[in-house]
Amino acid sequence: MADRKTVTRQTFIGEKGIALIERRCLEMGHLFHPRRVDHGIDGHIDLVDPDSRAVLNLTLLVQSKAQDRRFSGETDGGFHYLCDQRDLDHWLSGNSPVILVFSHPESHEAWWVEVKAAFPDAVSRAARRVDIDKHTQRFDRDAEALLRLAMPRTTGLYLRPASITEVLTTNLLPVIEMPPTVHLAPTAFTDYRAAGGALETQGRRESGWILRDNLVLSFHDLRDSPLRVLCDGDPERHETREWADSDDLDTQHRFADLLSRTVQGSYPELRWHKDRKHMHFRATSHLGPRKAGKGPGSRGRTVFGPHTSKSDPQRVGYYHHAALRTRFRRLDGVWYCQLEPDYCFTTDGYTEYPFTDRLLAGIKRLDRHPAVRGWTRMWANYLRQEADLFTEARPVQFGELATMTVERGIDDLLWGPAPSGAAPEDDQDPSAGGQESLDAVLAVADADTQDLLSLLQDGESDEGAPRRRSPGSKARSAGLRTPRQGRASGARRGR
């Protein structure tokens, strides 16, 4: 007999599955329409009102999964099914409900599940698994939930993110080098004030040490440094890796504290603000502008500079200092310094400006992603700067900001302006008068909104924004009168 074309067994099973769906829909009083071309959807159901027999113009899309063998993990009570990623994306991307109908045509058994209900969040979509209860999800004349499912007000709409790859830059700066040993010794000092006083009797101020549990800890050798005065017993040496890799939370906290204080003392241009818990750039000797942080992704920013008074443009109203809060964290075995840009304001380069909270409240309302991104890059570049002939190599050194690649992104063209009133009420700063306008908030601080905005936008020209003159340049060109450095008493407090 000549060779002839044949029909596969799976084709017969598939057609029987479609026929079973059509028969069950008719039993329920609805109309099933199979599609001639199958691209992930085998057909659709036109729902009919059970009482009036009126066609409701409500549609359910159907994908059939028919098998003559048992489904994965199938028992008398249920089974599970692993969806193909492309099919799942296709089913979720539309605006009509999609149901999967699983069947054993030979035994006339069928069960159903609605796709969006089975995959309500990113976690379930990533797993791609759907579980079927044979008792509660039978596809027969009792499946009245089909009618409720197609109601537009309850089905919702799932819009799949644009299928693009993006590289996200974090605010995490990896630690790539640290001293090889940690030194510790018993100490009789229990607070930093007393310990600092003991160090000053030696004629030096040493940084990069902590007090914890009647111990003094440092990356410095306690035998050959001014910190020896704090020791009340013989110092010990431990491999840094013992501390850095420890799973003990208390050890991790102590090590993070030691890293933080070591970094704080490694940059002479920075000053610790005890009350604000941040580092900020010191004033220049002539109270003129200072720029820093030039590097990849940033042309540098004005990290210290004068701002004119709104009421008297010929007088300096306050000085701004770029500030930074840090937090050291270990993630997947790597230590990172988490960068949180902040701001400090002074009257003379040292004494805190009386209306600092007002200025911070104004910044909180003006601050946007480009400003945070720009200041984060500035700080990353500054902390990563290499030592030169005039500075020693820093004990803790950093790599580039950590990045991650994601397989889903958002097309920037899809972003629109936020609706009015979208900001939560608790975003208002009580110290700034709650619902006061921005101009009213800054008026008390004798500050101009545009001047504060220029602080946030300083250095953005590298990223497509128009370049602006820095407040410091404005002050210098105007020949402003500035107070003498060190005029205020107690100005150097804070360490």
Side-chain angles (χ1 to χ4, degrees):
M1 189 177 194
D3 290 340
R4 294 178 178 271
K5 293 183 178 180
T6 60
V7 180
T8 65
R9 178 178 177 80
Q10 188 56 45
T11 298
F12 278 112
I13 295 172
E15 290 300 313
K16 289 180 179 179
I18 294 295
L20 179 59
I21 293 173
E22 184 171 13
R23 184 164 65 251
R24 291 292 166 82
C25 286
L26 289 174
E27 291 172 356
M28 290 183 242
H30 306 304
L31 301 175
F32 177 71
H33 305 277
R35 289 189 174 181
R36 292 179 56 252
V37 180
D38 173 16
H39 287 292
I41 299 295
D42 288 315
H44 72 272
I45 300 173
D46 277 333
L47 297 179
V48 178
D49 184 271
D51 298 319
S52 65
R53 301 293 183 184
V55 179
L56 299 175
N57 195 26
L58 296 176
T59 300
L60 295 176
L61 302 182
V62 181
Q63 176 68 20
S64 174
K65 299 292 180 182
Q67 290 187 183
D68 61 347
R69 62 185 184 277
R70 298 171 73 86
F71 290 98
S72 299
E74 184 170 353
T75 65
D76 291 339
F79 57 88
H80 65 266
Y81 183 85
L82 191 64
C83 299
D84 180 84
Q85 185 64 62
R86 291 180 302 173
D87 286 340
L88 185 58
D89 289 343
H90 179 63
W91 297 331
L92 290 172
S93 63
N95 61 352
S96 294
V98 177
I99 66 171
L100 304 182
V101 178
F102 303 89
S103 64
H104 292 315
E106 294 297 332
S107 60
H108 305 286
E109 295 175 289
W111 305 270
W112 73 284
V113 65
E114 198 268 322
V115 173
K116 291 179 182 177
F119 301 95
D121 50 40
V123 175
S124 59
R125 292 167 198 152
R128 299 185 287 117
R129 169 172 165 153
V130 58
D131 292 281
I132 301 297
D133 186 321
K134 286 186 173 182
H135 303 297
T136 62
Q137 294 175 259
R138 298 188 66 85
F139 189 71
D140 56 25
R141 65 173 65 248
D142 295 325
E144 297 178 354
L146 289 176
L147 196 60
R148 297 191 299 271
L149 179 63
M151 296 299 178
R153 59 179 176 273
T154 59
T155 57
L157 178 64
Y158 172 79
L159 295 178
R160 177 171 171 261
S163 182
I164 60 177
T165 299
E166 286 190 344
V167 177
L168 304 182
T169 300
T170 72
N171 65 336
L172 299 175
L173 205 59
V175 177
I176 60 173
E177 188 173 334
M178 61 184 74
T181 55
V182 175
H183 303 261
L184 60 89
T187 182
F189 295 96
T190 58
D191 65 87
Y192 286 96
R193 182 185 295 273
L199 282 171
E200 289 184 356
T201 62
Q202 305 297 309
R204 291 190 59 178
R205 297 188 64 183
E206 196 73 12
S207 61
W209 53 274
I210 65 171
L211 299 176
R212 185 71 70 90
D213 301 328
N214 298 320
L215 294 173
V216 55
L217 300 94
S218 178
F219 287 123
H220 299 295
D221 190 340
L222 297 178
R223 302 176 192 273
D224 302 321
S225 77
L227 295 175
R228 186 69 179 87
V229 70
L230 303 182
C231 300
D232 192 26
D234 293 333
E236 300 177 5
R237 295 177 56 181
H238 295 264
E239 294 294 325
T240 297
R241 277 294 145 203
E242 296 179 19
W243 292 69
D245 297 339
S246 175
D247 291 328
D248 179 69
L249 291 180
D250 186 61
T251 301
Q252 290 181 27
H253 293 158
R254 282 190 285 181
F255 190 71
D257 193 12
L258 180 58
L259 285 174
S260 180
R261 288 183 176 268
T262 301
V263 169
Q264 290 170 17
S266 300
Y267 298 85
E269 293 177 320
L270 301 183
R271 173 186 175 210
W272 175 252
H273 195 301
K274 183 178 179 180
D275 296 329
R276 298 283 178 181
K277 305 298 182 185
H278 67 212
M279 300 182 289
H280 63 254
F281 277 90
R282 297 179 182 273
T284 57
S285 58
H286 58 289
L287 294 181
R290 166 186 283 157
K291 297 201 70 169
K294 185 177 181 180
S298 174
R299 63 178 177 83
R301 292 196 169 219
T302 306
V303 296
F304 171 79
H307 292 249
T308 59
S309 166
K310 182 178 181 180
S311 60
D312 182 3
Q314 293 301 311
R315 179 177 62 84
V316 171
Y318 60 89
Y319 295 86
H320 87 264
H321 306 244
L324 178 71
R325 300 176 189 271
T326 61
R327 178 187 176 190
F328 282 85
R329 312 176 64 181
R330 193 181 74 184
L331 304 172
D332 291 332
V334 179
W335 280 94
Y336 295 91
C337 180
Q338 180 176 307
L339 309 181
E340 182 183 343
D342 198 5
Y343 306 89
C344 182
F345 300 96
T346 61
T347 58
D348 54 9
Y350 299 96
T351 307
E352 185 170 84
Y353 188 51
F355 300 105
T356 290
D357 288 337
R358 286 268 170 172
L359 294 177
L360 291 174
I363 285 179
K364 188 175 181 180
R365 299 191 188 187
L366 293 171
D367 218 354
R368 295 296 183 268
H369 172 68
V372 177
R373 177 182 58 192
W375 281 111
T376 300
R377 284 180 174 171
M378 186 287 298
W379 277 110
N381 292 337
Y382 177 77
L383 295 179
R384 293 183 62 245
Q385 63 183 324
E386 297 181 358
D388 54 30
L389 295 176
F390 304 100
T391 58
E392 298 181 359
R394 296 180 178 85
V396 178
Q397 297 185 29
F398 301 100
E400 297 182 357
L401 286 170
T403 61
M404 63 180 67
T405 302
V406 295
E407 297 180 354
R408 290 288 184 267
I410 298 177
D411 188 340
D412 291 340
L413 296 178
L414 299 179
W415 284 106
S420 59
E425 293 184 1
D426 57 4
D427 194 44
Q428 303 293 342
D429 191 327
S431 64
Q435 299 298 324
E436 287 183 273
S437 68
L438 179 59
D439 288 340
V441 169
L442 297 181
V444 177
D446 198 20
D448 181 76
T449 302
Q450 189 60 36
D451 193 40
L452 200 60
L453 188 61
S454 68
L455 168 62
L456 299 175
Q457 296 176 333
D458 176 46
E460 286 184 14
S461 61
D462 280 358
E463 301 171 22
R467 184 168 181 171
R468 297 172 178 266
R469 295 178 65 193
S470 69
S473 300
K474 176 181 177 182
R476 182 166 49 188
S477 63
L480 303 178
R481 302 189 303 273
T482 57
R484 298 174 64 89
Q485 180 181 356
R487 181 182 64 180
S489 61
R492 296 184 181 272
R493 294 176 301 170
R495 184 74 199 168

